[in-house]
Amino acid sequence: MTQATEKTDLLGMDRAALEAFFAQMGEKPFRAVQVMKWIHQMGVSDFDDMTNVSKALREKLKQVAQIRTPKIVAEQRSSDGTIKWVLEMDNHNCIETVFIPEADRGTLCISSQVGCALECSFCSTAQQGFNRNLENWEIVAQMWVANKALGTTPREERVVSNVVFMGMGEPLLNVTHVFPVARILMDDNAYGLSKRRVTISTAGVVPAIDKLREEVDASLAISLHAPNNALRDELVPVNKKYPLEVLMPALFRYVEGGNSKKHITIEYVMLDGVNDRVEHADELIDLLGNLPSKINLIPFNPFPNTDYKRSSNNAVHRFQDRLKQAGLNCTVRKTRGDDIDAACGQLAGKVKDRTKRTLHRVELTDLTMSPQLNQV
Ligand code: SAH
């Protein structure tokens, strides 16, 4: 891993930030585009390799800026082709990134925090506790490193065609760093992914859903997992702060706010005997109403020390059929990479000093002061 210095990290800067950086150096905005292409499309991290940048400017850049990238400390390959990388982010913490190849796409599942503060009862990351938010460069570095490890340059071929913020952490509790990264992923001078191919998944941090609608045109997935407050309080405790009567209107605001037809992916983990009965499906149908959405049922992925069990295939299909009969679009997520603990909810990383969860709660409380919430 490259050492931290006082130099400015260019890897995590979106176009506007890079242009401002070059302006402050007395350089023209097109330098930002040139450098973005070198970094993200060509996978270059050494200024000397940027051959269309003058030697004088390269020297200047070396003094004030850097392109820091994390070290891959482990790589595991699943029998189904899924690859998990463990990346060392500082001297203490490691995070995990997963690549899932499919016939028609390659999805990269990236982390936004070291650990997670949300304590969802069925998620392995929650058991790790929370240490800190990842910086912009640490988040986009996962895409950069994945392309390197896969031996591809995004300029030539788009092996990683989709990115989902479904790794470790709650992306909407780290919007300052996550939003610029979403913009980099969608920038034609960087990875050029369409908004349908960049998905931010949240357990339901309502004020940040409104912010997302206003600031970044990416896709949204909601980890719903329960059709009523009593059950959701238990499974996704952030529901106590933003219960369904607050969350659902935010989802309607989100789809109405866009200028193109938007829809939301609803994630629903299937837990045996907990949330997988036909009555739950009926409640879910009522709750979603006419929200433009697609429901993705996720068979539970077990991890050590959990009492939850995966729903039977029968239960999953009964649930799916019920939703389909009601006219809802519902798919079942194929479990991938579970033999290397790379499936949804199995990412644990290596989180040092897990005690910061309480500190993070303060930030959660702060969010309730947002104007949107006060109106509810
Ligand atoms: N914090 C964000 C993103 C991370 S989790 C969120 O809550 O959406 C990505 C998805 O995996 C979420 O839908 C999450 O609820 C689901 N998940 C977590 N643990 C799981 C498990 N053990 N089995 C299956 N899915 C799980």
Side-chain angles (χ1 to χ4, degrees):
M1 193 184 57
T2 336
Q3 284 309 304
T5 61
E6 292 304 304
K7 292 180 181 175
T8 307
D9 282 302
L10 302 192
L11 184 67
M13 283 190 173
D14 62 15
R15 178 128 53 112
L18 261 186
E19 282 176 358
F21 169 78
F22 279 107
Q24 158 252 311
M25 283 178 86
E27 295 288 337
K28 295 261 162 45
F30 78 90
R31 295 288 179 204
V33 169
Q34 275 184 328
V35 168
M36 262 192 125
K37 285 184 171 167
W38 278 116
I39 298 176
H40 301 290
Q41 297 190 341
M42 305 299 287
V44 161
S45 58
D46 187 338
F47 292 116
D48 280 333
D49 293 335
M50 302 185 178
T51 46
N52 61 358
V53 175
S54 72
K55 188 135 198 296
L57 179 54
R58 277 186 268 161
E59 291 307 320
K60 241 159 89 184
L61 282 171
K62 277 193 247 174
Q63 280 163 23
V64 297
Q66 61 185 350
I67 300 158
R68 243 199 301 177
T69 56
K71 194 169 118 201
I72 298 181
V73 291
E75 175 180 295
Q76 279 176 285
R77 283 174 188 258
S78 158
S79 54
D80 68 17
T82 300
I83 308 173
K84 179 168 89 173
W85 293 287
V86 180
L87 304 180
E88 190 181 304
M89 286 307 180
D90 47 42
N91 292 332
H92 311 290
N93 293 298
C94 290
I95 56 116
E96 300 185 340
T97 304
V98 179
F99 177 65
I100 307 145
E102 285 174 272
D104 58 342
R105 72 181 104 167
T107 303
L108 192 70
C109 179
I110 63 175
S111 297
S112 56
Q113 298 181 314
V114 180
C116 190
L118 289 185
E119 302 183 301
C120 297
S121 59
F122 54 88
C123 180
S124 157
T125 307
Q127 300 200 337
Q128 295 293 305
F130 174 77
N131 180 273
R132 67 176 178 88
N133 283 331
L134 292 176
E135 305 280 329
N136 309 18
W137 75 268
E138 294 173 306
I139 303 171
V140 82
Q142 297 169 65
M143 177 70 166
W144 192 92
V145 165
N147 279 293
K148 272 258 171 273
L150 293 167
T152 176
T153 39
R155 190 189 180 115
E156 259 95 63
E157 44 175 357
R158 217 170 263 163
V159 174
V160 180
S161 62
N162 295 56
V163 174
V164 294
F165 285 80
M166 294 185 189
M168 298 167 69
E170 169 49 53
L172 290 192
L173 283 178
N174 186 14
V175 296
T176 322
H177 302 122
V178 163
F179 286 0
V181 173
R183 284 192 279 267
I184 295 170
L185 292 170
M186 295 187 289
D187 195 311
D188 283 340
N189 297 302
Y191 300 98
L193 303 182
S194 78
K195 60 188 175 190
R196 260 177 248 96
R197 293 176 180 273
V198 176
T199 302
I200 297 183
S201 178
T202 177
V205 183
V206 168
I209 293 174
D210 286 312
K211 217 168 145 56
L212 175 71
R213 186 193 67 211
E214 287 155 17
E215 294 183 20
V216 187
D217 199 11
S219 297
L220 176 66
I222 298 288
S223 293
L224 196 65
H225 307 315
N228 61 61
N229 280 328
L231 191 52
R232 198 161 191 270
D233 281 353
E234 196 185 297
L235 301 178
V236 187
V238 75
N239 191 68
K240 293 177 193 154
K241 190 131 271 163
Y242 307 114
L244 292 172
E245 61 274 19
V246 176
L247 177 63
M248 294 312 295
L251 302 189
F252 279 96
R253 281 198 295 279
Y254 179 83
V255 287
E256 281 158 15
N259 42 17
S260 58
K261 268 213 161 309
K262 282 193 177 180
H263 77 277
I264 294 178
T265 302
I266 301 291
E267 297 167 278
Y268 195 101
V269 66
M270 295 297 284
L271 302 166
D272 182 42
V274 176
N275 64 353
D276 64 349
R277 290 199 304 275
V278 167
E279 299 87 86
H280 294 121
D282 288 338
E283 261 187 293
L284 184 59
I285 292 163
D286 286 345
L287 179 71
L288 294 178
N290 59 359
L291 181 75
S293 57
K294 184 186 127 183
I295 299 127
N296 202 206
L297 302 179
I298 315 173
F300 171 66
N301 295 307
F303 52 88
N305 303 321
T306 178
D307 292 333
Y308 291 116
K309 292 192 180 55
R310 180 180 291 188
S311 302
S312 67
N313 285 344
N314 268 350
V316 173
H317 289 120
R318 227 181 7 245
F319 201 94
Q320 183 187 25
D321 287 345
R322 195 72 167 203
L323 297 180
K324 279 183 160 176
Q325 277 158 20
L328 300 179
N329 182 351
C330 176
T331 52
V332 179
R333 188 178 293 178
K334 206 160 167 259
T335 302
R336 298 287 303 266
D338 51 344
D339 55 342
I340 54 165
D341 286 342
C344 304
Q346 292 186 319
L347 302 187
K350 190 175 82 184
V351 182
K352 288 280 171 70
D353 187 1
R354 303 153 178 203
T355 55
K356 306 212 174 143
R357 203 183 257 166
T358 334
L359 222 179
H360 208 62
R361 283 238 176 75
V362 179
E363 285 176 38
L364 264 179
T365 317
D366 284 344
L367 274 171
T368 61
M369 303 308 288
S370 89
Q372 289 96 339
L373 244 201
N374 292 340
Q375 283 163 16
V376 180

